Amino acid sequence: MAAEKSMHTYVPGLDGIRAICITLVVLGHLGFGGIFPGGLGVTTFFFISGYLITRLLAAEHDRFGRLDLPRFYGRRLLRLAPELVTFVAVLGLVIAPALGQPLPIGAALAALFYWTNYYLILGFDTCQDCSITGHLWSLAVEEHFYLVMPLVMAACAFAPKRLQALLVGVGVACLGWRFYAHSALHLPEVYTYKSTECRVDSIGWGCLAAMIERSQSQVMALMKRRGAAIFGAGAGLMLASLLIRDETFRETARYSLQGLALFAMVLPMTVAPKLAWINAVLEHPVLRWMGRRSYGAYLWHYAALTFTALALGVTGQLETASLPDRLTAIPMVLAGTWVLAAVSYVLVFKPSQRLKPWLEAGPAAPRPLASPLNPGSAAS
């Protein structure tokens, strides 16, 4: 029963964190990235994805003694694909023709097949007046993680020490590769920021947090006793990651430092009594509502940016508009983002989830016993 409960337990505070992250992303894309770090919002999304998916996979293995990989991939597809396909279809067939901003077939296919990050890195986005799908690069990184992580966990037989060592190794390897790509190969920031091999450690930090939570009782006891101090140290590291402006640091070690900071902040929040007030704030009904619709908000926020620019008579992107125009646009863009996210949630996400019971994990079918009437059944 404990495993069954853990498999479906809601983690307090995470929806609120999602709500804050998508707000940072939107404000960053509005041209306020110097104040509201949109990139940190994306990195935090990565961390949360790794944390939650690892918990779900481990709980399924605990409950049933195995992973049903086809059903896992089916659930991921059902969670992500309906709203993404709808977004690309509406963008390409309705919004783009109406605004005279075509959606290139290459960009559409890259979005649908989770290749947008490399579509951008390889320089295929050469159209200057096209509809924008570049923000979908982060979905590609996450989907690549979803494809690989279950296989890795199964290959490691869910042994905590093996998985923790592997995740630490991934973090070190990604950090080393970013340094080499930036300093020796002189690759541009679009590569170190958006390629899967450079950013998967941001997800790996969340995976490591879930494995520590699952298997290291002494560490979690420390988190419970000293949670406020550990959280404060994590917050200090996060602030340092934002204040250090050195280019090499920002393209290399920044993501590692932010991953460590999130590790030190999120884990104590799950167990430390002194941090209960933070969860209480993050569990505000408005933030929970926003967090549950954050995926749709991420998909549609550029449409809200585009429509707001038209309403204000701004030529080009709002990100480069005058400060008065951008300030005027803030409430319009945020309202438009959440209206579109709510519509997507009601009309696309909720109906699609009616299929989810068919994809839920379950026990393996029992193997029939051998009998005189069916001597080969046990080995078939």
Side-chain angles (χ1 to χ4, degrees):
M1 289 297 293
E4 180 177 356
K5 182 179 180 181
S6 68
M7 186 174 181
H8 299 286
T9 295
Y10 171 80
V11 181
L14 293 192
D15 276 334
I17 294 175
R18 286 192 184 103
I20 294 171
C21 287
I22 186 59
T23 303
L24 290 176
V25 169
V26 174
L27 293 175
H29 287 160
L30 248 174
F32 296 102
I35 304 172
F36 302 101
L40 175 59
V42 174
T43 298
T44 307
F45 272 125
F46 285 159
F47 181 95
I48 292 174
S49 291
Y51 176 70
L52 290 178
I53 291 299
T54 302
R55 292 177 91 248
L56 289 172
L57 289 169
E60 180 179 335
H61 184 268
D62 286 348
R63 185 181 181 191
F64 302 118
R66 68 187 183 100
L67 284 184
D68 190 331
L69 291 178
R71 289 190 178 187
F72 168 80
Y73 291 129
R75 290 194 301 273
R76 286 293 87 201
L77 187 66
L78 185 65
R79 174 63 184 90
L80 300 174
E83 288 185 280
L84 175 63
V85 171
T86 301
F87 167 73
V88 173
V90 172
L91 183 63
L93 300 177
V94 180
I95 297 177
L99 300 182
Q101 298 178 359
L103 176 61
I105 186 65
L109 291 175
L112 293 173
F113 290 97
Y114 299 100
W115 199 62
T116 297
N117 57 340
Y118 293 108
Y119 183 84
L120 299 173
I121 290 167
L122 295 174
F124 293 145
D125 58 327
T126 55
C127 179
Q128 298 298 315
D129 299 312
C130 290
S131 294
I132 296 175
T133 59
H135 61 297
L136 303 183
W137 72 268
S138 64
L139 303 185
V141 175
E142 289 198 28
E143 188 62 23
H144 301 161
F145 158 75
Y146 294 144
L147 289 172
V148 174
M149 186 59 183
L151 300 175
V152 170
M153 294 185 77
C156 291
F158 282 81
K161 290 184 178 179
R162 293 181 193 172
L163 284 168
Q164 290 164 36
L166 178 63
L167 290 167
V168 170
V170 168
V172 173
C174 285
L175 176 59
W177 176 247
R178 285 195 297 268
F179 267 110
Y180 184 73
H182 171 75
S183 302
L185 300 180
H186 305 293
L187 295 178
E189 185 180 7
V190 68
Y191 175 77
T192 55
Y193 182 56
K194 295 180 177 178
S195 69
T196 300
E197 60 270 26
C198 284
R199 295 307 310 277
V200 74
D201 61 326
S202 295
I203 304 177
W205 278 104
C207 300
L208 182 62
M211 293 307 303
I212 294 293
E213 179 186 58
R214 164 184 168 81
S215 62
Q216 301 290 339
S217 58
Q218 291 182 337
V219 174
M220 295 309 297
L222 177 64
M223 295 283 183
K224 186 174 183 178
R225 292 194 313 270
R226 307 296 183 190
I230 295 171
F231 180 91
L237 290 176
M238 186 64 74
L239 181 61
S241 77
L242 299 175
L243 293 178
I244 298 173
R245 309 306 294 177
D246 176 73
E247 180 184 358
T248 298
F249 169 82
R250 291 184 59 77
E251 293 192 33
T252 56
R254 172 176 48 146
Y255 312 119
S256 300
L257 190 62
Q258 289 178 347
L260 178 60
L262 287 167
F263 181 93
M265 295 170 71
V266 171
L267 271 187
M269 286 172 54
T270 65
V271 292
K274 291 184 178 179
L275 298 178
W277 67 272
I278 297 178
N279 283 332
V281 172
L282 293 172
E283 284 294 287
H284 189 281
V286 173
L287 291 178
R288 287 189 65 177
W289 184 93
M290 293 168 65
R292 292 176 178 179
R293 291 152 182 81
S294 58
Y295 176 59
Y298 189 78
L299 289 174
W300 287 99
H301 77 277
Y302 257 112
L305 286 165
T306 299
F307 290 135
T308 301
L310 288 174
L312 295 178
V314 173
T315 57
Q317 298 182 30
L318 273 173
E319 187 174 8
T320 57
S322 67
L323 179 60
D325 281 338
R326 286 185 285 129
L327 291 173
T328 303
I330 290 177
M332 299 171 66
V333 171
L334 290 176
T337 294
W338 291 112
V339 166
L340 291 170
V343 170
S344 179
Y345 188 84
V346 171
L347 297 184
V348 182
F349 173 74
K350 294 289 285 185
S352 69
Q353 296 310 293
R354 295 170 187 165
L355 298 174
K356 189 175 180 179
W358 294 92
L359 297 171
E360 290 290 359
R367 300 177 68 180
L369 298 176
S371 69
L373 295 178
N374 188 15
S377 60
S380 61

